[in-house]
Amino acid sequence: MCNSVWYENSKRNILATSQANDFDQALTEWFFTGKVRDYKHSRTSCEMCEHEQLRYQFIIKNKTNGNHLHVGSSCILKFSKIAIFDAHGKRLSGDYSRSNALDDALASLHKQLMLAPLRALWKANIKFRPFIEKHVKYFEKNSAFYPSALVALFKSLVRNHISYDPVLFPVYLRNNNSKEAIVAMTESDFKLIEPSLKAGQQKRIMEQRVKSPCIQK
């Protein structure tokens, strides 16, 4: 590994932005800030190892000189001397806890990106505020939106010319009522929330919709 292009790129870029002249020592100057950038598509690169076609960049900071690098999660995990802290400021050790912390940071970013258009809708549509508040609370409790509620939210976002990414909105399909509701949806309503479904959900629901006599046109 030490002779790989990946390793040499990482060494060069860390030393160029660190105070220490020794690679291992330089790594100890860096920590994960908790911030992540989502480019929506695989179109950016790691500023550490220079690997291309990344969708996400995790931001690390040098505690000595204040420099920042936007890197892939793999570099943070492979170099354990780059510190990751929990919410209480405790340094994490072990691959599992470090990986979970990066996953949590990404989930937090996606949640904020998901809620941002709903906040804009809340400001734009006073009469719709109780509905938004009700179903955001439902999301907080269930980590997903009820299918028909999500359709209504998406329609209102469209009417108010507020952009949103449907992929960020999880759909609740954990009971028969929610499954029956989405199976019986009109084609136009289903198309609105189809991008929000996970691959497994899409497959199951599409199979049920093909068999269902209740689909509305």
Side-chain angles (χ1 to χ4, degrees), residues 95-108:
D95 293 344
Y96 182 79
S97 58
R98 284 168 57 83
S99 179
N100 273 355
L102 298 186
D103 290 343
D104 288 346
L106 182 57
S108 178

Side-chain angles (χ1 to χ4, degrees), residues 173-200:
L173 292 175
R174 299 175 200 159
N175 60 31
N176 289 334
N177 287 341
S178 59
K179 293 173 185 176
E180 290 170 1
I182 197 169
V183 167
M185 275 184 181
T186 65
E187 282 297 322
S188 59
D189 283 355
F190 180 71
K191 289 297 182 185
L192 272 179
I193 65 169
E194 186 177 5
S196 303
L197 297 171
K198 296 177 182 178

Side-chain angles (χ1 to χ4, degrees), residues 6 9-10 13 44-54 56-57 69-76:
W6 166 82
N9 287 345
S10 299
N13 290 319
T44 190
S45 60
C46 174
E47 294 181 349
M48 189 170 167
C49 72
E50 300 180 13
H51 181 77
E52 298 180 343
Q53 295 184 327
L54 297 180
Y56 305 110
Q57 285 182 330
L69 286 174
H70 295 65
V71 306
S73 60
S74 294
C75 277
I76 298 177

Side-chain angles (χ1 to χ4, degrees), residues 117-126 128-130 132-133 162:
L118 296 183
R119 292 191 183 102
L121 181 61
W122 187 88
K123 292 179 181 178
N125 193 329
I126 296 175
F128 206 54
R129 286 180 181 179
I132 298 170
E133 292 166 359
I162 298 171

Side-chain angles (χ1 to χ4, degrees), residues 10-11 26 34 53 56 64 77 93 107 127 139 165 167 197 205:
S10 299
K11 182 177 179 179
Q53 295 184 327
Y56 305 110
T64 304
L77 295 175
S93 61
K127 292 183 178 180
F139 164 79
D165 183 354
V167 174
L197 297 171
I205 294 302

Side-chain angles (χ1 to χ4, degrees), residues 130-149:
F131 186 87
I132 298 170
E133 292 166 359
K134 174 183 176 181
H135 291 287
V136 167
K137 287 180 181 178
Y138 184 93
F139 164 79
E140 295 289 355
K141 180 180 179 181
N142 299 284
S143 300
F145 291 90
Y146 197 80
S148 56

